[in-house]
Amino acid sequence: MAQFKDLFTELRRDTGLSQEDFAALFHQSGSTISSYETGRNQPSFDMLIQYADYFNVTTDYLLGLSLIHISEP
């Protein structure tokens, strides 16, 4: 089963944004994004929802709980 850190990293890289640039979109630091991508920290529920909306995926997909990644409108 995929882990949040791996799915999040893959989705962020697919946007073509650096950790710093991605973090700026959410008024966070690059080190926060780095800590998610290394698995040292997890985002809050509120941030998880914002990331899922940004990537147009479900929160279940981001958490590695579902293979279905497209969020329905």
Side-chain angles (χ1 to χ4, degrees):
M1 178 165 68
Q3 294 182 354
F4 170 79
K5 65 179 188 155
D6 300 320
L7 294 167
F8 182 79
T9 302
E10 178 182 350
L11 289 167
R12 194 245 333 139
R13 287 180 178 163
D14 287 349
T15 68
L17 296 172
S18 68
Q19 289 178 344
E20 291 288 332
D21 291 338
F22 184 83
L25 293 173
F26 295 94
H27 308 286
Q28 297 179 305
S29 68
S31 63
T32 297
I33 302 305
S34 176
S35 73
Y36 297 158
E37 293 186 1
T38 60
R40 283 179 289 156
N41 290 311
Q42 297 283 324
S44 67
F45 291 128
D46 291 338
M47 287 310 303
L48 182 69
I49 292 167
Q50 288 183 45
Y51 295 146
D53 286 346
Y54 180 81
F55 292 128
N56 195 35
V57 298
T58 64
T59 54
D60 280 355
Y61 177 79
L62 254 184
L63 294 171
L65 300 174
S66 173
L67 297 177
I68 299 170
H69 66 281
I70 301 297
S71 178
E72 295 294 323

